[in-house]
Amino acid sequence: AQSVSQHNHHVILSEAASLELGCNYSYGGTVNLFWYVQYPGQHLQLLLKYFSGDPLVKGIKGFEAEFIKSKFSFNLRKPSVQWSDTAEYFCAVSRRTGFQKLVFGTGTRLLVSP
Amino acid sequence: EAGVTQFPSHSVIEKGQTVTLRCDPISGHDNLYWYRRVMGKEIKFLLHFVKESKQDESGMPNNRFLAERTGGTYSTLKVQPAELEDSGVYFCASSRGGGNSYNEQFFGPGTRLTVL
């Protein structure tokens, strides 16, 4: 069965600090990888996704993630966070073909202090 | 275009009662998904409709949960009778249909269900 592990449940950073959120997945096949974000009071929205090709993907708001196949990892990074990045971040995986339900990690709550 | 909407936003019921949650997907989206997040845990898949057909209901916890999507438009998720462990946030998502390529899932705001 697929599973996703997010290592950090709560992260507190000051503005301008660099961010890296860990994500590892377990699945015996080809997958699509995602990071979703939920800002306070808002819907879950897609931050970035990886299907194939360049393992370094760039998303909205300056976020990027790197797929490392040998490590089954898809870590999220941002060089300099802003107060507005305060949110909950979810790593997710789906099968490349067939039923494409998302399997999520437990989420990481990020608090950025001004 | 309007996003995915869910009703109600909150529901508080007593154990043993029935609750029906509704999801209106983005117009034209054939795929509709239900997910649930129990407090402190991951968001878990419940089931997937393509139009009015259930494609994958492997995540439905038990037969107290019944999902429908009559006419392939909106969907309802009924819990009868509700138990304490059913409390959580129920999310609906929709995506365009077709092929094996991934179509982005757009999420609704969720319905927070509390069973007392």
Side-chain angles (χ1 to χ4, degrees):
Chain A
Q2 296 168 297
S3 67
V4 176
S5 174
Q6 290 185 242
H7 316 300
N8 316 97
H9 297 295
H10 293 89
V11 173
I12 301 174
L13 295 172
S14 299
E15 274 194 316
S18 64
L19 169 72
E20 180 159 3
L21 301 182
C23 172
N24 286 88
Y25 69 93
S26 171
Y27 180 64
T30 307
V31 297
N32 298 323
L33 295 157
F34 309 87
W35 277 96
Y36 277 82
V37 60
Q38 187 171 28
Y39 298 103
Q42 296 189 26
H43 303 192
L44 268 166
Q45 58 184 281
L46 184 64
L47 199 54
L48 50 78
K49 59 184 183 285
Y50 173 78
F51 293 167
S52 62
D54 188 345
L56 184 63
V57 292
K58 296 190 184 296
I60 59 172
K61 303 186 180 185
F63 286 90
E64 64 179 32
E66 184 176 13
F67 170 51
I68 302 179
K69 189 174 181 180
S70 61
K71 295 184 178 180
F72 296 91
S73 70
F74 190 57
N75 292 354
L76 181 71
R77 298 194 294 250
K78 185 171 184 179
S80 175
V81 295
Q82 301 173 313
W83 175 79
S84 58
D85 293 324
T86 294
E88 190 161 18
Y89 293 80
F90 298 89
C91 183
V93 62
S94 75
R95 290 171 54 178
R96 181 66 57 81
T97 58
F99 298 147
Q100 291 172 348
K101 64 184 181 186
L102 292 167
V103 176
F104 286 89
T106 50
T108 297
R109 287 188 181 274
L110 172 66
L111 175 62
V112 180
S113 56
Chain B
E1 62 183 4
V4 178
T5 58
Q6 293 186 245
F7 182 83
S9 57
H10 293 84
S11 179
V12 181
I13 61 172
E14 294 192 348
K15 176 181 170 180
Q17 290 186 320
T18 297
V19 64
T20 300
L21 313 181
R22 173 172 170 145
C23 169
D24 286 79
I26 293 172
S27 178
H29 280 193
D30 288 341
N31 293 297
L32 188 149
Y33 302 82
W34 284 98
Y35 295 88
R36 175 176 74 171
R37 189 182 194 196
V38 171
M39 186 182 295
K41 303 217 170 171
E42 69 272 29
I43 301 169
K44 278 194 170 181
F45 168 80
L46 296 178
L47 88 159
H48 170 207
F49 284 99
V50 177
K51 297 184 181 178
E52 67 275 7
S53 300
K54 292 176 186 174
Q55 287 296 292
D56 182 0
E57 49 185 329
S58 60
M60 294 288 264
N62 51 60
N63 59 10
R64 295 185 294 104
F65 288 75
L66 175 64
E68 294 180 324
R69 192 182 181 195
T70 305
T73 54
Y74 70 91
S75 175
T76 58
L77 179 65
K78 182 161 72 174
V79 185
Q80 179 182 31
E83 298 289 345
L84 299 179
E85 63 265 25
D86 301 332
S87 296
V89 181
Y90 289 76
F91 293 102
C92 176
S94 72
S95 70
R96 297 182 193 280
N100 284 327
S101 61
Y102 180 80
N103 294 302
E104 180 180 345
Q105 293 184 29
F106 295 86
F107 281 79
T111 292
R112 183 174 294 277
L113 174 64
T114 301
V115 182
L116 302 175

